[in-house]
Amino acid sequence: MNLAAGTNENLAHISNVLVYSSMAVYTLAFFAHIAEWTFGGRSKVGRTAAALTTTSAAATAPVVQVKKQGGGTDVLDRPKIVTRSAVGSRDVPDGPGAAGGTEKGDLYGRMAISLTVLGFLVEAGGVVARAASVQRAPWGNMYEFSLTFSTVVVAAYLVLLVLKKNIRWLGLALVTTVLLDLGLATTVLYTKSDQLVPALHSYWLWIHVSTAIICGAMFYMGAVGTLLYLLRDNYEAKLASGEQPGAFAESVLSRLPSAASLDKFSYRINAAVFPLWTFTIIAGAIWAGEAWGSYWGWDPKETWSFITWVVYACYLHARATAGWKGRKAAYLALFAFGCWIWNYYGVNIFITGKHSYAGV
């Protein structure tokens, strides 16, 4: 028994070391992302490089040949590809990205991605070590949930990059959030390795909480996309009205994807994960029926999970309603994610209920 306890304690220590090590690596990734945005700035050199890249791509792109009515063929210029905004008012191409179309910026960007991958691997090792130390799913309290949440967020980001999705612009916000999450977890939410209360001893812990973590990670990515959509949309509106955007907009917002692309990204993320959030609530109800004899008792956690579901459902419905596209729907999406955040932090810490397993 003492040998097993000592082994578990050593594993817990290894987990802590790996978590702090991942924070150090993520910090380096944060500075690399800062360098990417800085050295990829839309300076004269950066604009020239981007223009040359665009010209070169256009020169090598396949042309369109059409047959003339009297015989022979004619060549048309390569059509310009644009994206359409959510409200259909502007056709704007995507920005050049955080690297700004510069070789130096791209170098720092690739360094940032490499460091993010390393940080993810180290943090994932910490989560696995934590699971081994407690011999159960590593999300039995807020500390463990936060560790796994940030790991899943980074994993989702890296998977989208592997799938060649244009989301490198998300890197700086992602790494910043992960550092804040881990900092809060290790200072405020930290809980020593321990076993669960009897109500949580169920295979539903693996199903219900794991899906909640995945949903939270994807909702987060959708919320970041929505926030950046609002900023980019305001930037495009100023350009359309002939106003001169400020220095921040010119140096940062001009390099983001178009408002239409950001809006589409956020909507697709939220729409894709909404059925999983529905399943999460249903799985929680089934677990509650087994643990407490009642499928639904309007516990604060249950109530706010349902409120979050309703707000996201309203958002998805709003997207299909003519008068609720664009910025109005974006505000609703941010409010929905705010409900999810409150359900995690506020309900767990400030409200007492059957789900009071925060460990803080």
Side-chain angles (χ1 to χ4, degrees):
M1 179 67 74
N2 291 335
L3 179 60
T7 301
N8 292 341
E9 185 176 343
N10 289 336
L11 288 171
H13 177 70
I14 292 173
S15 174
N16 294 339
V17 171
L18 290 174
V19 169
Y20 281 107
S21 298
S22 71
M23 292 176 67
V25 178
Y26 283 135
T27 302
L28 294 177
F30 170 80
F31 286 115
H33 277 297
I34 290 291
E36 178 186 18
W37 283 96
T38 301
F39 293 103
R42 302 300 288 152
S43 61
K44 183 177 180 180
V45 175
R47 289 195 299 271
T48 302
L52 290 174
T53 302
T54 303
T55 303
S56 175
T60 58
V63 296
V64 179
Q65 291 187 344
V66 294
K67 289 185 177 180
K68 288 183 177 180
Q69 199 168 25
T73 60
D74 200 358
V75 177
L76 298 180
D77 291 334
R78 185 173 67 97
K80 182 181 180 182
I81 300 175
V82 297
T83 52
R84 187 168 300 280
S85 65
V87 294
S89 59
R90 293 187 296 271
D91 290 326
V92 181
D94 290 342
T102 64
E103 183 177 351
K104 193 172 185 180
D106 184 64
L107 172 62
Y108 283 108
R110 286 185 280 112
M111 289 173 58
I113 296 300
S114 299
L115 288 168
T116 302
V117 172
L118 178 59
F120 162 74
L121 294 175
V122 175
E123 185 183 10
V127 173
V128 171
R130 177 76 177 196
S133 71
V134 293
Q135 298 180 357
R136 56 170 172 77
W139 42 71
N141 50 60
M142 287 190 71
Y143 170 71
E144 296 171 356
F145 188 102
S146 296
L147 292 186
T148 310
F149 170 80
S150 58
T151 306
V152 172
V153 168
V154 178
Y157 171 69
L158 296 177
V159 167
L160 290 176
L161 285 177
V162 170
L163 295 176
K164 305 298 183 181
K165 302 299 181 181
N166 177 27
I167 63 162
R168 210 162 90 176
W169 48 267
L170 185 63
L172 179 58
L174 176 86
V175 172
T176 303
T177 304
V178 168
L179 283 172
L180 290 173
D181 175 73
L182 292 177
L184 185 62
T186 54
T187 56
V188 178
L189 304 178
Y190 179 75
T191 305
K192 292 183 178 181
S193 299
D194 201 358
Q195 292 305 309
L196 299 172
V197 296
L200 293 182
H201 281 289
S202 171
Y203 60 89
W204 283 105
L205 176 67
W206 291 90
I207 301 173
H208 172 62
V209 184
S210 64
T211 55
I213 292 172
I214 295 172
C215 288
M218 301 309 291
F219 282 148
Y220 160 78
M221 296 181 71
V224 173
T226 300
L227 180 61
L228 293 179
Y229 156 74
L230 291 172
L231 296 175
R232 171 76 188 203
D233 184 65
N234 185 61
Y235 165 74
E236 292 179 6
K238 287 185 177 180
L239 290 179
S241 63
E243 297 182 41
Q244 180 63 37
F248 173 78
E250 284 294 340
S251 63
V252 176
L253 299 183
S254 64
R255 286 182 274 165
L256 290 174
S258 67
S261 296
L262 290 169
D263 178 72
K264 184 185 298 183
F265 168 80
S266 303
Y267 171 67
R268 287 180 174 178
I269 288 288
N270 290 328
V273 78
F274 181 74
L276 186 61
W277 182 246
T278 304
F279 170 78
T280 301
I281 295 176
I282 294 173
I286 296 175
W287 188 8
E290 291 185 359
W292 302 318
S294 174
Y295 292 106
W296 196 268
W298 295 105
D299 181 76
K301 196 75 171 178
E302 297 171 347
T303 302
W304 276 99
S305 295
F306 179 68
I307 291 174
T308 303
W309 183 91
V310 169
V311 180
Y312 271 111
C314 290
Y315 161 74
L316 295 176
H317 176 72
R319 289 298 304 251
T321 305
W324 276 85
K325 291 183 179 180
R327 299 183 71 87
K328 289 182 179 179
Y331 292 136
L332 191 57
L334 289 179
F335 178 69
F337 183 67
C339 291
W340 190 92
I341 288 293
W342 169 255
N343 188 32
Y344 176 51
Y345 286 106
V347 173
N348 281 342
I349 296 176
F350 302 111
I351 302 178
T352 301
K354 292 181 178 180
H355 290 78
S356 300
Y357 308 126
V360 295

